[in-house]
Amino acid sequence: SAVISQKPSRDICQRGTSLTIQCQVDSQVTMMFWYRQQPGQSLTLIATANQGSEATYESGFVIDKFPISRPNLTFSTLTVSNMSPEDSSIYLCSVGDRAGDGYTFGSGTRLTVV
Amino acid sequence: AQSVTQLDSQVPVFEEAPVELRCNYSSSVSVYLFWYVQYPNQGLQLLLKYLSGSTLVKGINGFEAEFNKSQTSFHLRKPSVHISDTAEYFCAVSFQGAQKLVFGQGTRLTINP
């Protein structure tokens, strides 16, 4: 299965600033996903990123707040913009081309907004 | 509506005891079912999956799960747990082969010596 490198692993940011999270995969994949895991909660899908097209956002998430780039088949970034303390969460990227294969997850970015 | 429910938010058990973590889903379409484990400060790791065929599936670390279509359940079991099994366990469902996964709320498994 694919190996994912996600950076940074954690960060503490000031409110009103932005943080860009990187996800690098060791093989080419069509589908990349970004999830949010709020403290003590389950995972919620933010958006699906396909190479060469606009990301598809889930209900409750908008591009202005969470812009995503997908420049090639091995890399994606998620930016958390104009951060507030409510954005404090773990953000995870995930890859998988077929639902039946299961998905591989990065180790996550633990974000704290102060 | 399509949903996934993990009935227990926390499950404490003694070392070497058996454990069952419960997962139920609601769907009128076909499903793929998954169990993931999240160790402290780490990402998610796939334990096992059910796509079709035998309803009893075996995964890594001695875990197994049984798909029960009539009860729309996919409970995770292990006959004898170890301290190292302490983690958060997530049930996830893909509805009708959709790429998107829907996760349950998670069950925190705590193993006491």
Side-chain angles (χ1 to χ4, degrees):
Chain A
S1 58
V3 176
I4 300 174
S5 173
Q6 189 174 335
K7 295 190 293 187
S9 59
R10 59 178 64 229
D11 207 340
I12 301 173
C13 300
Q14 297 290 325
R15 68 175 67 204
T17 63
S18 298
L19 176 72
T20 296
I21 302 167
Q22 299 180 1
C23 181
Q24 178 75 53
V25 190
D26 69 344
S27 59
Q28 294 185 339
V29 291
T30 304
M31 309 290 289
M32 294 184 78
F33 307 90
W34 287 98
Y35 285 86
R36 181 176 72 182
Q37 186 179 19
Q38 293 178 298
Q41 308 269 334
S42 186
L43 283 78
T44 302
L45 181 65
I46 297 171
T48 302
N50 292 337
Q51 193 266 337
S53 63
E54 293 284 331
T56 302
Y57 288 82
E58 296 297 307
S59 176
F61 298 96
V62 295
I63 188 172
D64 290 346
K65 176 67 175 178
F66 298 101
I68 289 171
S69 77
R70 182 78 201 275
N72 56 52
L73 291 174
T74 64
F75 187 78
S76 178
T77 67
L78 169 76
T79 299
V80 186
S81 303
N82 188 25
M83 288 184 286
S84 66
E86 292 70 35
D87 294 320
S88 297
S89 296
I90 299 173
Y91 293 85
L92 301 106
C93 73
S94 175
V95 302
D97 279 347
R98 296 187 306 174
D101 293 338
Y103 298 93
T104 302
F105 284 81
S107 55
T109 296
R110 187 178 295 271
L111 170 63
T112 302
V113 183
V114 298
Chain B
Q2 297 168 337
S3 63
V4 183
T5 302
Q6 290 181 244
L7 297 164
D8 306 297
S9 60
Q10 296 187 62
V11 173
V13 296
F14 288 107
E15 194 172 14
E16 298 183 6
V19 69
E20 179 179 81
L21 306 183
R22 297 179 292 172
C23 174
N24 285 86
Y25 66 92
S26 174
S27 177
S28 58
V29 300
S30 62
V31 294
Y32 293 156
L33 299 158
F34 306 86
W35 275 99
Y36 286 87
V37 59
Q38 185 178 36
Y39 297 105
N41 300 314
Q42 294 188 29
L44 274 70
Q45 180 182 7
L46 180 65
L47 273 178
L48 49 77
K49 62 184 178 183
Y50 172 80
L51 307 182
S52 63
S54 173
T55 57
L56 182 64
V57 293
K58 295 189 183 297
I60 62 172
N61 302 339
F63 284 93
E64 63 181 31
E66 185 158 19
F67 170 54
N68 188 320
K69 187 174 182 180
S70 62
Q71 298 191 3
T72 59
S73 68
F74 190 55
H75 300 335
L76 181 71
R77 294 192 286 260
K78 186 169 183 177
S80 176
V81 296
H82 190 266
I83 291 284
S84 60
D85 293 322
T86 296
E88 189 89 17
Y89 291 80
F90 292 97
C91 179
V93 181
S94 164
F95 294 98
Q96 204 162 27
Q99 297 285 1
K100 168 181 152 179
L101 283 182
V102 177
F103 283 83
Q105 299 90 331
T107 298
R108 183 176 301 276
L109 177 62
T110 304
I111 312 300
N112 299 307

